[in-house]
Amino acid sequence: MKAIRLVFALVSILLISSCSDYFEIDRPPQAPWSTVEEFERAPIGAYTALFSGDEWNLAWVHERFIKTNMGDDVGFADELDKGFYRETKQANQWTELAFIQLYKAIATTNNALEFVDSKAGNPYPDALPTDIQNNVYRIVGELYFVRAYAYFLLQTTFGHAYVPGGDNTTLDIPMPIRYAKSADEARNPKIGSTQEVYDLIVRDLKKAKALLPEKFDASKHHPSYQVRANRVAAAGMLMRAYMQKGSYDSALQECNYIIDQNSSEYDLSEDPIVAFSQNSAEGRGKEVIFYVPFFDANLTVPNHLSVINQTWAAKPTEWVQNFMDFTLVKKINWMTDPKTDTALNIEAKQDKRFTQLMTVRYPVNKRLPGQAYDLKERVTMKDFTTIINNKYYRSATVMNTNVPLIRLAEVYLTRSVLRFRASDKVGAASDLDEVRKRAWNASVAGAAYTPISSAAITEEMINDERIIEMFNEGDRINYLRALKVPIPKGERGAGTDPYMSESFVWAIPALEINFNDGI
């Protein structure tokens, strides 16, 4: 870790002192942050490290497309090495770039949190009590949120799955919680076990939830806070962390808080496309709890969402590499046989997620007028009818479209499966209905939505609905590992992998191994 950690100080200074126009503060900070206004730079730098980057290098994007392509719900163009997306301890440039960028975010938060600790938790004793409450405490909460988010991405990518009641002492990833003060300290960070990393994630998120406000208030908060994490976002990440640990009762409590106590800020009243077509700070969409504010052109760089999306730069992309698995398409009855015909069933046409967030790419010799694409054809997509994700870049400003990271639909589906497993089938059906009826197009179906009966609901039904709802959002592998169930291989072949398999543990970058004395 020597090389990486030794540059963290410079990286953090750059991140803290640079930001997009939307986040801009008129006067640059002193060393380190002499006023509450200047302390606002700390979370700005942390978010920038976590969600931005240089051209084609965004850590969370790399994590999303890697996780997406590990799932059993996607098929691949024949020219791709399918094993590349699920191999024991394999490394590639995208996981390595994500690793480095995420530790930059952690270094930035550690630096700022140490600053607070050095002042006995009160760095601005002369500030107004309201400013301390509304801004200083809120900023500290944001720092804990970003650090937990970064560690969550690292652990679920490079770490082992948590085994409830298991040993969980396998050493997984470096776990610095303070800023390295020397080369020797940088070379020898604590290596966190599976248990220790998840304990840190939960601890940080609990602090974040306690410190963050429920929502942005222009009369109290800095304008830049409008697009950043609030208490509900912290609860969303706590829900995910508890799910990974198999702490289902705690995860259910977070679901209940988000759904039942959100002051009517979030609901599923809008069409699915609304969440994915916003390009301003104000227009997040009613279901979006947390998002990357790509509306700011200075925050956006070319990114690899184009590899898992139908469009890029307002036209069909030649880079798209995956599509909805043929077996899945048949299972949900969107098509009877995509390998032999092009007919779409009513189940697809009446689902707004299909009509609004996906695209059909027809075989070259079976395309209808107006359906030809001016792009390089990939082998599988040339020969068969394929259903392709089209969630990203959907606003008029294309790349400057915000990307949801936590949505209310995910929370409803999580609560549905947790209720089902707790034998609350009535509650499970009710939550599943909330998601299904939002997607129901009565004008196509010719009838109003019919609720699911508690007698008919199954866990498989909930899981299948989640595949559709969260398709190509990097959710599938995390979800199945959280449920502690065998994970199908999908296009890779027959059989399953255990959820704790090394197949889901990506290799620590060689550079880190070479310079980190603890690995």
Side-chain angles (χ1 to χ4, degrees):
M1 198 174 196
K2 298 174 188 173
I4 296 174
R5 295 291 292 165
L6 289 175
V7 302
F8 274 1
L10 291 176
V11 169
S12 295
I13 292 169
L14 290 173
L15 290 172
I16 292 166
S17 63
S18 65
C19 60
S20 61
D21 289 346
Y22 183 82
F23 292 143
E24 194 64 47
I25 296 175
D26 292 337
R27 190 163 60 89
Q30 305 301 311
W33 304 280
S34 60
T35 67
V36 175
E37 176 80 356
E38 289 165 358
F39 193 40
E40 199 74 47
R41 289 279 182 168
I44 288 172
Y47 284 104
T48 301
L50 184 59
F51 295 121
S52 187
D54 54 21
E55 189 164 304
W56 295 106
N57 180 24
L58 280 71
W60 70 272
V61 171
H62 297 333
E63 188 268 352
R64 176 164 288 198
F65 94 80
I66 289 165
K67 290 279 182 63
T68 291
N69 287 326
M70 291 169 71
D72 61 308
D73 55 335
V74 296
F76 304 98
D78 284 350
E79 63 200 61
L80 293 181
D81 176 4
K82 298 170 187 176
F84 178 80
Y85 296 101
R86 194 193 291 184
E87 279 291 333
T88 302
K89 291 293 184 183
Q90 182 166 318
N92 68 63
Q93 61 179 316
W94 311 122
T95 57
E96 292 184 357
L97 288 170
F99 185 93
I100 294 170
Q101 194 72 15
L102 290 169
Y103 275 106
K104 290 178 182 178
I106 290 169
T108 304
T109 60
N110 286 345
N111 195 26
L113 288 171
E114 278 195 82
F115 166 72
V116 174
D117 289 343
S118 71
K119 304 294 183 179
N122 184 18
Y124 307 104
D126 297 329
L128 294 174
T130 53
D131 211 12
I132 295 291
Q133 181 65 43
N134 296 329
N135 292 304
V136 176
Y137 290 167
R138 182 259 305 165
I139 288 170
V140 174
E142 290 186 83
L143 293 169
Y144 281 120
F145 175 87
V146 170
R147 186 167 74 177
Y149 201 114
Y151 271 121
F152 183 87
L153 297 187
L154 285 163
Q155 181 62 29
T156 56
T157 304
F158 301 96
H160 290 80
Y162 192 95
V163 180
D167 185 58
N168 297 306
T169 58
T170 302
L171 296 182
D172 278 337
I173 59 174
M175 198 179 78
I177 57 173
R178 53 169 285 160
Y179 201 81
K181 301 299 191 299
S182 67
D184 184 66
E185 187 177 349
R187 286 193 297 269
N188 294 278
K190 175 180 176 58
I191 307 301
S193 67
T194 309
Q195 181 73 53
E196 289 172 323
V197 176
Y198 274 112
D199 285 349
L200 174 64
I201 291 169
V202 169
R203 187 165 61 247
D204 277 1
L205 288 171
K206 283 183 174 180
K207 292 177 182 178
K209 186 181 175 185
L211 292 168
L212 290 171
E214 286 191 358
K215 61 180 179 179
F216 168 75
D217 186 334
S219 68
K220 297 177 181 179
H221 304 133
H222 191 275
S224 66
Y225 179 60
Q226 183 173 3
V227 301
R228 306 206 299 258
N230 58 23
R231 188 177 303 163
V232 184
M237 288 304 298
L238 259 178
M239 172 195 73
R240 290 176 175 176
Y242 283 135
M243 286 293 291
Q244 292 301 315
K245 290 189 67 179
S247 301
Y248 299 135
D249 288 343
S250 296
L252 181 58
Q253 290 178 18
E254 298 305 325
C255 292
N256 291 338
Y257 166 75
I258 296 168
I259 294 172
D260 301 331
Q261 302 177 51
N262 70 47
S263 304
S264 300
E265 283 292 310
Y266 310 98
D267 61 46
L268 297 181
S269 61
E270 298 171 328
D271 276 357
I273 186 64
V274 175
F276 294 92
S277 58
Q278 301 302 309
N279 58 1
S280 69
E282 298 81 8
R284 59 172 171 79
K286 288 286 286 181
E287 74 158 314
V288 178
I289 295 169
F290 185 58
Y291 64 94
V292 178
F294 273 171
F295 71 89
D296 186 336
N298 293 290
L299 190 64
T300 310
V301 296
N303 59 75
H304 285 95
L305 291 180
S306 58
V307 177
I308 56 174
N309 200 67
Q310 164 66 14
T311 57
W312 184 78
K315 64 181 181 180
T317 176
E318 66 182 58
W319 300 326
V320 65
Q321 295 181 353
N322 71 23
F323 49 84
M324 185 173 281
D325 177 70
F326 292 133
T327 302
L328 173 60
V329 173
K330 295 171 68 173
K331 182 180 182 183
I332 61 179
N333 205 32
W334 279 5
M335 298 184 70
T336 302
D337 190 350
K339 289 189 175 183
T340 61
D341 62 45
T342 61
L344 296 166
N345 295 335
I346 186 64
E347 285 82 358
K349 297 176 182 179
Q350 70 193 16
D351 194 318
K352 293 180 181 178
R353 292 164 301 191
F354 171 77
T355 58
Q356 296 179 6
L357 300 176
M358 299 186 190
T359 298
V360 179
R361 182 172 286 180
Y362 294 96
V364 173
N365 62 345
K366 295 182 180 179
R367 287 182 181 154
L368 302 177
Q371 292 176 331
Y373 295 104
D374 181 20
L375 49 78
K376 174 185 176 183
E377 294 292 349
R378 294 193 180 274
V379 180
T380 297
M381 299 174 189
K382 177 180 179 180
D383 297 335
F384 303 116
T385 304
T386 50
I387 295 175
I388 299 173
N389 177 69
N390 198 23
K391 290 180 174 178
Y392 306 117
Y393 318 120
R394 296 303 302 278
S395 77
T397 50
V398 194
M399 286 188 63
N400 299 116
T401 305
N402 300 333
V403 179
L405 296 181
I406 305 175
R407 298 192 291 118
L408 190 61
E410 175 193 348
V411 184
Y412 269 109
L413 290 169
T414 299
R415 192 169 75 169
S416 181
V417 76
L418 292 176
R419 283 177 159 180
F420 182 87
R421 287 191 162 195
S423 299
D424 177 10
K425 293 187 178 181
V426 173
S430 174
D431 286 338
L432 185 56
D433 276 333
E434 288 296 319
V435 177
R436 286 169 64 102
K437 69 184 179 183
R438 192 269 292 265
W440 183 262
N441 191 334
S443 63
V444 173
Y449 176 76
T450 301
I452 303 162
S453 70
S454 58
I457 191 171
T458 64
E459 184 168 321
E460 183 179 21
M461 186 184 296
I462 300 168
N463 293 346
D464 288 348
E465 194 69 26
R466 188 172 182 125
I467 289 177
I468 300 170
E469 182 67 38
M470 303 296 292
F471 186 65
N472 273 32
E473 293 184 55
D475 173 75
R476 179 69 171 166
I477 288 296
N478 283 353
Y479 177 64
L480 294 178
R481 291 177 95 191
L483 292 185
K484 314 305 176 188
V485 297
I487 301 176
K489 293 180 181 293
E491 286 284 304
R492 297 164 191 81
T496 62
D497 290 315
Y499 76 87
M500 73 287 288
S501 170
E502 292 283 339
S503 295
F504 307 109
V505 181
W506 289 84
I508 301 294
L511 179 65
E512 177 73 6
I513 294 172
N514 291 338
F515 286 92
N516 189 323
D517 294 341
I519 296 180

